[in-house]
Amino acid sequence: MSLSTTTSHLTILPSPLPSISPLSLRFSFTFRQNINHKTCPTTHLSSSSIKSTRFLVKSQSTTSPASSDTVKVISVPSEMKAWVYGEYGGVDVLKFDSNVAVPDVKEDQVLVKVFAAALNPVDGKRRQGKFKATDSPLPTVPGYDVAGVVVKVGSEVKEFKVGDEVYGDVNEKALEGPKQFGSLAEYTAVEEKLLALKPKNLDFAQAASLPLAIETAHEGLERTGFSSGKSILVLNGSGGVGSLVIQLAKQVFGASRVAATASTRNLELLKSLGADLAIDYTKENFEDLPEKFDVVYDAIGQCERAVKAIKEGGSVVALTGAVTPPGFRFVVTSNGAVLKKLNPYLESGKVKPIVDPKGPFTFDQVAEAFSYIETNKATGKVVIFPIP
């Protein structure tokens, strides 16, 4: 990494990066070899190789609270490190590129120095080409969730300024023309309306775990007309979306009763999130229980069974798999206003991010992180942190 000014510098801790063959597209791939994984001396770019824009960055460790950040002054480089793929396929199509141009910023966008990102199932499906008809052109820098610091603002941006710590889902529509430059990079350009200020009590890794999942959880509950006094069953309550549905249903929407399914090892997690009934799906069939629910939030793909667990007139939200009436599916629309609305619940601790204990994965472990999330065994969210 090579960032400096005459006044100060930012020390980073990159991990060793694998040597790969070049991708014959617009990206070239070059790597520094034999970087020590734990410590790395600060290196410098010449003044001719960086833009003159100066900005404040708050440098943060994995364990330190946001309030203990120290301010460093650095400059925006013209190129950045990023993960890219130039063809659809398995995890092996992911390549690391150290010479990607930093994206331009439109009038309604801000440029974010990415400190952490997170993976979602949609990232893997997109890379596999499952919605190539509506995808942006290849090659692609993947990634939806981001948490970082604003380093540049477009001329029409009113809400954010350089130095603000923000988080959000960078793609307004998950499946319709998602950005060619996503969050698995040092910098990403994001529309102002998709972002919110990062909750003060959360570090960057925790904040990055939230946007797409918490917006999906919230929008699904709203679409069912969920309200105070209603009951809900959450399928895959230990997953990224399910863990947040439990908390939002109880803390934000005022559910009278929350039930959720998980494997044996995650039953206590469900209870800690607010589930009144934790169902071990390895031992019980939820649809055979005498209790029925106003809403079933199906975050695993079992809609045919889910419709048997609702009361008359009830609703089933199906995020994946085949849909059985009266179940329905929706695709989330990213909205920073939702994050702003939920920030007080996050800052009070009533709603908590759940980061998979195998992580965070470091920036050189992105391919590993993709392989892991595609096992469908993750608890909460798979986070990438730190990003150099």
Side-chain angles (χ1 to χ4, degrees):
M1 178 67 182
S2 319
L3 296 174
S4 71
T5 69
T6 57
T7 57
S8 185
H9 58 76
L10 177 67
T11 300
I12 59 170
L13 303 174
S15 301
L17 300 167
S19 179
I20 57 171
S21 59
L23 178 66
S24 56
L25 290 162
R26 61 167 291 185
F27 299 109
S28 63
F29 294 86
T30 58
F31 300 92
R32 290 188 299 155
Q33 299 297 323
N34 302 319
I35 300 175
N36 185 286
H37 184 78
K38 295 182 179 178
T39 59
C40 177
T42 305
T43 54
H44 305 276
L45 278 179
S46 66
S47 59
S48 61
S49 63
I50 58 175
K51 297 179 181 178
S52 60
T53 306
R54 297 288 199 275
F55 58 89
L56 298 178
V57 168
K58 294 184 177 180
S59 181
Q60 185 175 53
S61 72
T62 307
T63 57
S64 64
S67 60
S68 67
D69 296 348
T70 56
V71 176
K72 304 290 182 184
V73 181
I74 64 175
S75 295
V76 180
S78 59
E79 293 184 334
M80 64 180 181
K81 299 178 178 70
W83 284 87
V84 303
Y85 55 88
E87 59 182 318
Y88 294 117
V91 172
D92 60 316
V93 302
L94 288 162
K95 308 296 180 186
F96 183 89
D97 186 347
S98 59
N99 300 107
V100 178
V102 171
D104 294 329
V105 177
K106 298 177 182 177
E107 291 85 353
D108 63 341
Q109 293 181 326
V110 301
L111 185 67
V112 175
K113 171 65 184 78
V114 182
F115 275 51
L119 296 184
N120 297 276
V122 68
D123 289 292
K125 293 176 181 178
R126 180 187 182 193
R127 191 204 66 235
Q128 293 163 7
K130 292 190 175 179
F131 50 94
K132 66 176 69 177
T134 57
D135 202 359
S136 58
L138 294 171
T140 295
V141 174
Y144 285 67
D145 290 323
V146 68
V149 174
V150 174
V151 298
K152 186 176 181 180
V153 296
S155 59
E156 296 178 4
V157 172
K158 296 179 175 62
E159 192 167 345
F160 300 114
K161 63 184 183 302
V162 170
D164 282 345
E165 297 178 349
V166 295
Y167 75 129
D169 170 1
V170 306
N171 294 305
E172 184 173 12
K173 298 291 185 181
L175 308 182
E176 299 172 24
K179 286 186 173 65
Q180 187 176 13
F181 290 88
S183 60
L184 289 172
E186 291 183 273
Y187 297 88
T188 191
V190 192
E191 288 77 9
E192 176 184 30
K193 66 181 180 180
L194 305 185
L195 296 171
L197 291 174
K198 178 177 74 66
K200 297 179 179 65
N201 60 317
L202 301 184
D203 62 30
F204 287 106
Q206 292 170 322
S209 76
L210 288 165
L212 190 148
I214 203 168
E215 290 176 347
T216 300
H218 184 270
E219 186 172 339
L221 288 167
E222 283 204 324
R223 284 174 177 263
T224 67
F226 198 76
S227 58
S228 178
K230 291 188 176 182
S231 62
I232 187 170
L233 168 63
V234 184
L235 305 185
N236 192 22
S238 62
V241 173
S243 61
L244 290 163
V245 173
I246 293 171
Q247 296 180 80
L248 295 188
K250 185 73 100 175
Q251 300 294 339
V252 180
F253 288 83
S256 60
R257 185 162 168 80
V258 177
T261 65
S263 61
T264 309
R265 66 185 175 92
N266 283 322
L267 296 181
E268 290 306 313
L269 172 64
L270 300 186
K271 295 174 185 176
S272 73
L273 296 175
D276 302 293
L277 174 64
I279 302 168
D280 187 340
Y281 72 77
T282 70
K283 299 177 180 177
E284 293 184 278
N285 293 321
F286 63 83
E287 69 271 30
D288 295 336
L289 297 175
E291 184 176 5
K292 304 302 176 186
F293 302 88
D294 294 302
V295 170
V296 176
Y297 203 118
D298 175 18
I300 195 66
Q302 298 177 333
C303 190
E304 186 176 357
R305 296 171 59 194
V307 297
K308 299 175 184 178
I310 55 172
K311 297 175 181 177
E312 185 176 351
S315 300
V316 174
V317 185
L319 294 186
T320 187
V323 177
T324 302
F328 69 92
R329 175 176 293 141
F330 76 97
V331 178
V332 67
T333 299
S334 176
N335 187 348
V338 172
L339 299 178
K340 292 169 203 167
K341 172 186 173 181
L342 297 176
N343 269 359
Y345 295 93
L346 292 161
E347 292 182 338
S348 69
K350 290 181 178 179
V351 177
K352 300 175 182 178
I354 305 298
V355 176
D356 186 273
K358 286 187 181 292
F361 291 79
T362 55
F363 197 47
D364 66 309
Q365 295 176 314
V366 164
E368 239 180 273
F370 265 96
S371 294
Y372 177 56
I373 197 172
E374 289 170 32
T375 66
N376 296 318
K377 294 180 180 178
T379 299
K381 290 295 294 291
V382 175
V383 174
I384 311 300
F385 176 85
I387 292 180

